[in-house]
Structures are given as structure tokens and as C-alpha cells.
Amino acid sequence: MSFMLSSISFSSTSICDNMKQLSKIVSRQDANFKLSPSSSNETSINLSNEISDFVSDKSGEVSFIIYKDDFIKALGVLCNFPKLFSRKESAPVKPVDIFTDLSSQIISEFENADSSIYTVNLLKRDDGRSYFNNLKKPNGFNLRSFLVERYSELIFEKRDDDSIVIRLKTSCESMEPNEETRKKIKEMLKTAEECNKEPLQRIYYGAPGTGKSYTIDNLTDETNSVRTTFHPDSDYASFVGAYKPTMEAVPLSAFVGTSVQYAESKNGHPGTERKIVYKYVPQAFLKAYVAAWSNLDEPFYLVIEEINRGNCAQIFGDLFQLLDRNNHGSSSYAIAADEDIAQFLSDDKKGFAGLSDEQRETIRSCHRSEDPQRHKTAVAAQSPYLGNNEHKRPVAIPNRLCFQAPLGLEVCSYRV
């Protein structure tokens, strides 16, 4: 197939394995993604009369079989394009935004299935023009969202039972994902799908002895959870962290002339003495936050006992904003950490200073993105404080941090 074609659609007919085929190279007008800025605001897909008659002899709803692998490959190709433009935007679409939107659509449409039934409306006008409209399904899936001008091809196949298949072919050899990349995309989609199955923030309520804590215990253990208990005196500092006096080994030193000399360990003496120093001490939230970011492959649980006995507005403070999650399970809104938290996350080994280079790279590969369902800026997984002059990073919860809270029947007005 040559890609030096003009941006017009054409169809071809062939017989293959008892299936008749017609194909259409996607034109600029029919594509969601353009190779240059466009003023077009089309939402339909135009059809030749031959394809229109092949699909149906009259206007109305038509259903097709579509395959998940076609859209995974298209997703990989689209994310590799150096520049793509959508709708009337003058700036190119960011690859991370393409991935966030299209991966969400794939998950919504196919879930665990390899194929799906896609129903659209075929309109045959009196002036001879035919096109598909009503392409967006209630779950957000839209075939047109995956189309790029010149490089996308729609192949219509009619089976012996008169069912029609649409195969999406996205061809560009220099940008096609290899098998390893496609496997990674499938794994990422599977992870996101698993995150969407279970609520990330859950309150268990019931009378004493009805199994609230028992249910949570079956999900958690000492390696994948942090527990805390709310009470009337709980506050932000006791939930997040604060400076506290702690005992720490401090090097012995002395002035010699105008310089400071530090003692060396000798004859069994460590060259240090234990002193009371003020140090930022993380509490339940920051411990869980760091643990969740440190391993984005597994869920981590923050268990809050007696959540109804504390003043949640006072305890959470601006962290409440982080509990609003997007479709990928991460915070829709980030918050700016104060200087104490920022310094702890950046410099302390109990924060992100103790992470390996591989862990840091995994976190940095996550970026701000747009939540296609809410049409607002969201945080798919904003890189947190990692040091190296990154002190302006906001705080955001990753999709692997889950909140679990048993609640007594006395009060059940608090929800997350």
C-alpha cells in the first residue's frame, strides 16, 4: 500500500475464504487524527456507494463485529507518531493523552473479550451521499477516535451468515509497535481494567462482630498495608507526618582552630553519639503513599480503623482532593505539598531518596493526562517528588493506593 495517496477514500473488492471484502483508506475528513492542523469538526465517516450498498440497502442501524487486537495495534501506532492533530486544535496531541483516551475506550468496549458488536447508524441521503453517524457508544467507545488520515484502512468483510466484520488496519512500518510493545500495551490495559473492577476507596459498616475487619484482613497483610486508627484527637500531623524529636546517632565533632574536625571510629567506638534531633517523621498516609508509588504493579492498602470517630475534615485537610479519582484510578486533581513534605519525599531514604533508578524511571514515565470521561485535567499518575530539582511536583495518589475503612453503625455519614 502506498502512503503518497491523496486524502480521498477509495474501495476495492476481493474474494477471500468465502468472504467478500471492501476496503476504504481513511480520508482527512473522516479521520479523528490529522497530520496537520485542521478546521474540520466532522463526527461521521463517509462511505462510497459501493460500501454503503455492501453494508445495507437502506438507512438505519447496522451492527459489525470488531476485534480488540486491531485497536491495540492502532493505539501503538498512534502513540508513535511525532505529531498528530485533533479537531480544531492548533497544537499536536500529546502521546500520553492519546494513550489515556484510547486505552480507556478499549477497556470499556472489550473488557476481557477479543471481539465486540459495534452498532452505528447508516444514513443514505437523497443526494447520493452515505455515511456512518452516531459512532460514539454510551460507554464512550468511538471507532472514529482510532482513525488517522492516510494510514488507517477500514476493511469490510461479509461472512456466509451475512454478518459483517470491520477490520481496522493501521499501517506505518516505521511506527508499528513490535510484539514486545504490543504485549506491554495489553498488560497495561489489563492492569487498568483490574483497577476499574473494584472500588479503590471502600467503607465497611455494620454492627460489631459482622466481619468488617475480618474482610479487610483477608485483603491485607503486613507487607501490603499500613493501619491507623482515628480518634477525637487525631489531626493532620498525626495522619500525614510532622517534625518530632527523635534519637539519632550524630558524628562527634570539635573545632580545631577555625575548622571542624569529625571523630573517626576507632577501638570499637563508632565516632558518634546519640542525641535528640528534630526530624520529619512520616505517619500512615505518607508511608502508604511512598509504598504505593514504589511498586506500581501491586495494590497497597491504607486501612483506617474507627474512621467515624475522628474529624475527617481536620485529619485529611487538602488531601481530600486527592480522593477524587479518574477513570484510571489515580487522583483527578493534584495538590501542592508544603515544604516539609516535599523535602521529606525528595531527600529522606524513607521517602523517594531510597528508590532504585528503575523505580524512579517507572514513576517518571507517568505523566499528567486528560480524563476523557470528565473533560478536565486529570492526573493519571503524576510523577511525585524525586529530587534532582523536581521540587515543584504536586502530590497525587497512584491507582495502586486503596483506602479501606471499617465503620460502626453509630455514624455512617462519611464517604470517600
Side-chain angles (χ1 to χ4, degrees):
M1 183 184 298
S2 172
F3 298 114
M4 298 304 292
L5 300 167
S6 62
S7 57
I8 60 173
S9 64
F10 72 94
S11 62
S12 63
T13 306
S14 65
I15 302 295
C16 179
D17 297 332
N18 298 322
M19 288 193 297
K20 186 179 180 183
Q21 290 186 344
L22 292 177
S23 64
K24 164 189 170 68
I25 300 296
V26 173
S27 68
R28 182 176 176 85
Q29 183 180 10
D30 298 327
N32 178 47
F33 294 108
K34 327 286 187 186
L35 302 180
S36 60
S38 169
S39 59
S40 173
N41 201 28
E42 282 276 344
T43 58
S44 59
I45 298 177
N46 291 285
L47 304 172
S48 66
N49 290 333
E50 186 179 9
I51 291 178
S52 174
D53 294 338
F54 177 75
V55 170
S56 178
D57 57 3
K58 60 182 179 180
S59 296
E61 285 192 348
V62 287
S63 296
F64 306 93
I65 300 170
I66 55 176
Y67 289 93
K68 187 176 186 177
D69 273 350
D70 293 348
F71 294 90
I72 289 176
K73 181 180 178 181
L75 173 59
V77 173
L78 292 170
C79 289
N80 281 328
F81 266 90
K83 285 184 180 181
L84 286 176
F85 299 83
S86 180
R87 296 295 181 97
K88 295 184 177 181
E89 297 176 4
S90 58
V93 186
K94 295 178 182 178
V96 67
D97 292 345
I98 294 174
F99 183 87
T100 302
D101 182 11
L102 300 189
S103 63
S104 176
Q105 291 192 41
I106 292 173
I107 292 169
S108 299
E109 178 65 15
F110 295 97
E111 296 183 348
N112 293 322
D114 294 325
S115 62
S116 175
I117 302 298
Y118 181 59
T119 302
V120 298
N121 186 64
L122 170 63
L123 184 61
K124 293 171 171 282
R125 295 189 1 171
D126 294 337
D127 60 6
R129 182 189 171 199
S130 298
Y131 55 86
F132 290 143
N133 61 7
N134 294 342
L135 292 162
K136 187 173 182 179
K137 295 181 64 173
N139 63 11
F141 180 84
N142 188 340
L143 170 65
R144 196 175 188 277
S145 299
F146 294 81
L147 305 183
V148 57
E149 64 170 307
R150 299 187 186 181
Y151 293 95
S152 294
E153 181 181 7
L154 295 175
I155 302 171
F156 298 83
E157 301 174 349
K158 183 172 286 188
R159 295 177 172 174
D160 289 340
D161 60 1
D162 284 336
S163 63
I164 301 178
V165 176
I166 294 183
R167 301 306 303 257
L168 171 60
K169 185 177 180 181
T170 312
S171 301
C172 183
E173 291 184 4
S174 62
M175 298 176 191
E176 285 187 20
N178 57 31
E179 194 60 35
E180 183 180 355
T181 301
R182 292 174 71 178
K183 184 178 179 181
K184 281 187 176 181
I185 292 174
K186 288 182 180 180
E187 289 174 351
M188 293 170 73
L189 292 174
K190 185 177 180 181
T191 300
E193 188 175 340
E194 289 174 352
C195 289
N196 288 338
K197 286 182 179 177
E198 293 293 332
L200 296 173
Q201 290 148 191
R202 174 178 283 172
I203 289 180
Y204 300 86
Y205 65 93
T210 55
K212 301 187 297 295
S213 295
Y214 176 80
T215 302
I216 294 174
D217 289 343
N218 286 336
L219 289 173
T220 64
D221 55 41
E222 293 181 356
T223 64
N224 70 353
S225 65
V226 171
R227 284 180 179 264
T228 187
T229 302
F230 283 1
H231 53 79
D233 289 333
S234 296
D235 58 13
Y236 186 86
S238 63
F239 180 56
V240 179
Y243 275 96
K244 293 184 177 182
T246 60
M247 293 294 294
E248 191 171 284
V250 177
L252 289 169
S253 61
F255 277 99
V256 178
T258 58
S259 62
V260 177
Q261 299 292 323
Y262 291 94
E264 298 179 358
S265 57
K266 194 173 183 180
N267 298 328
H269 193 282
T272 61
E273 62 177 337
R274 293 185 64 78
K275 285 187 174 181
I276 296 176
V277 297
Y278 277 88
K279 190 174 182 180
Y280 193 88
V281 179
Q283 299 300 320
F285 174 80
L286 278 183
K287 290 176 183 178
Y289 179 81
V290 171
W293 272 111
S294 300
N295 183 6
L296 293 172
D297 295 326
E298 299 293 336
F300 196 90
Y301 297 90
L302 175 55
V303 181
I304 303 173
E305 300 277 4
E306 305 291 343
I307 191 170
N308 53 304
R309 301 193 183 281
N311 182 340
C312 290
Q314 171 181 296
I315 297 169
F316 277 88
D318 56 356
L319 297 182
F320 249 127
Q321 188 164 302
L322 303 183
L323 302 182
D324 189 357
R325 311 283 191 112
N326 61 23
N327 288 340
H328 294 268
S330 305
S331 296
S332 290
Y333 308 94
I335 63 170
D338 60 38
E339 195 63 34
D340 295 341
I341 294 177
Q343 188 172 352
F344 164 75
L345 291 174
S346 177
D347 302 336
D348 198 295
K349 289 186 177 180
K350 292 182 179 180
F352 295 122
L355 297 184
S356 65
D357 291 340
E358 183 179 356
Q359 288 173 309
R360 289 167 175 266
E361 186 57 35
T362 300
I363 294 174
R364 286 195 179 100
S365 67
C366 302
H367 302 281
R368 290 178 67 88
S369 62
E370 183 175 304
D371 184 335
Q373 298 296 326
R374 299 188 179 190
H375 301 287
K376 62 179 73 171
T377 300
V379 179
Q382 174 65 42
S383 300
Y385 294 82
L386 293 175
N388 301 326
N389 297 321
E390 295 188 31
H391 289 284
K392 292 187 178 181
R393 297 287 192 185
V395 171
I397 293 175
N399 61 5
R400 306 312 269 163
L401 181 53
C402 309
F403 289 76
Q404 306 282 309
L407 178 72
L409 278 178
E410 303 92 338
V411 179
C412 56
S413 58
Y414 171 72
R415 293 188 62 82
V416 291

